[in-house]
């Protein structure tokens, strides 16, 4: 088969399980691309320090949870997000067995800077499509599903427990019936307000990709506190 990714010759792979990294590498090699499996990072290295050790490559694919075999302070989601947001952008996606599970909330806090998240075991067309997404976004071509618009957001409940605390919210521009998860780290960073002080019914404003198909694909940026909104205003 011929590669669907024009101009992509080298793909970097980060996975703490060697067998899984090699299996993914074979997928890309089947499409005439070179796969580079990244070595174990130094135990105290940050995501940026680890990225700085990488050789030249066209795209990066990261497993999310890297702590099964490695002693690291970052996740694959953070690594991919920082690669995508560098001045010299390195297009990066995340592949994980935790897509659609509770563990996915630890991906969500970095989702604004990750063009695509793909479940492990996905068909090659889905993997290559996700890589194409990342390449196009790095070049400034943002897909409809990733474009963010200012919209009201209502806090339904705050869940401060667990490894990835979140607020359950309704995003007015996306759905008035389907709740989504807003990472508390993002909310507190943008508003400067402790999430524990936000009661249910609090209204926010945020830039959100309201054309996202799934709740886990929603990204929240530039979050601010908003006045209480009436039902009449929401109906406009």
């Amino acid at each position: 088969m011929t590669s669907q990714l024009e101009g992509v010759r080298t793909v970097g792979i980060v996975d703490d399980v060697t067998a899984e990294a090699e299996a993914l590498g074979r997928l890309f090699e089947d499409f005439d691309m070179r796969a580079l499996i990244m070595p174990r990072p130094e135990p105290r290295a940050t995501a940026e320090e680890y990225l700085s050790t990488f050789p030249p490559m066209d795209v990066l694919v990261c497993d999310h949870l890297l702590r099964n075999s490695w002693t690291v302070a970052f996740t694959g989601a953070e690594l991919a997000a920082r690669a995508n947001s560098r001045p010299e952008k390195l297009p990066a996606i995340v592949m994980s067995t935790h897509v659609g599970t509770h563990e996915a909330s630890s991906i969500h806090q970095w989702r604004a800077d990750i063009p695509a998240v793909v479940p492990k075991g996905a068909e090659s067309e889905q993997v290559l499509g996700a890589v194409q997404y990342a390449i196009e976004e790095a070049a400034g071509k943002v897909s409809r599903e990733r474009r963010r618009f200012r919209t009201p957001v209502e806090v339904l409940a705050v869940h401060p427990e667990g490894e990835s605390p979140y607020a359950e919210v309704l995003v007015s521009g996306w759905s008035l019936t389907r709740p989504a998860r807003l990472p508390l780290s993002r909310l507190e960073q943008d508003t400067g307000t402790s999430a524990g002080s936000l009661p249910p019914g609090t209204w926010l404003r945020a830039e959100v990709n309201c054309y996202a198909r799934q709740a886990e694909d929603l990204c929240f940026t530039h979050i601010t506190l908003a006045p209480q909104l009436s039902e009449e205003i929401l109906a406009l």
Side-chain angles (χ1 to χ4, degrees), residues 44-125:
R44 289 181 293 277
T46 65
E48 283 289 355
E49 288 170 341
Y50 187 38
L51 283 171
S52 71
T53 68
F54 289 3
M57 62 184 69
D58 300 305
V59 70
L60 179 66
V61 180
C62 302
D63 177 38
H64 175 50
L65 294 181
L66 302 172
R67 298 170 188 167
N68 294 321
S69 304
W70 294 352
T71 305
V72 292
F74 56 85
T75 62
E78 179 183 353
L79 191 67
R82 295 194 182 280
N84 285 309
S85 58
R86 286 181 132 197
E88 64 289 2
K89 293 181 184 294
L90 171 57
I93 67 167
V94 170
M95 293 190 70
S96 176
T97 56
H98 299 284
V99 174
T101 72
H102 178 69
E103 288 289 349
S105 59
S106 59
I107 299 175
H108 203 190
Q109 62 181 305
W110 300 100
R111 192 65 174 85
D113 293 311
I114 304 173
V117 177
V118 181
K120 281 192 174 181
E123 296 293 330
S124 58
E125 289 78 7

Side-chain angles (χ1 to χ4, degrees), residues 19-20 23 42 46 102 105-106 118 137 147 166-167 180 196 204 212 233 236:
E20 294 187 3
E42 293 295 324
T46 65
H102 178 69
S105 59
S106 59
V118 181
E137 193 163 302
R147 294 175 194 156
Y166 67 95
L204 311 168
I233 291 176
L236 294 178

Side-chain angles (χ1 to χ4, degrees), residues 7 13 46 53 59 70 92 123 129 132 134 158 165 174 178 193 195 208 230:
I13 298 172
T46 65
T53 68
V59 70
W70 294 352
E123 296 293 330
Q132 185 66 49
V158 175
W174 184 68
R178 297 165 61 192
T193 302
V208 187
S230 68

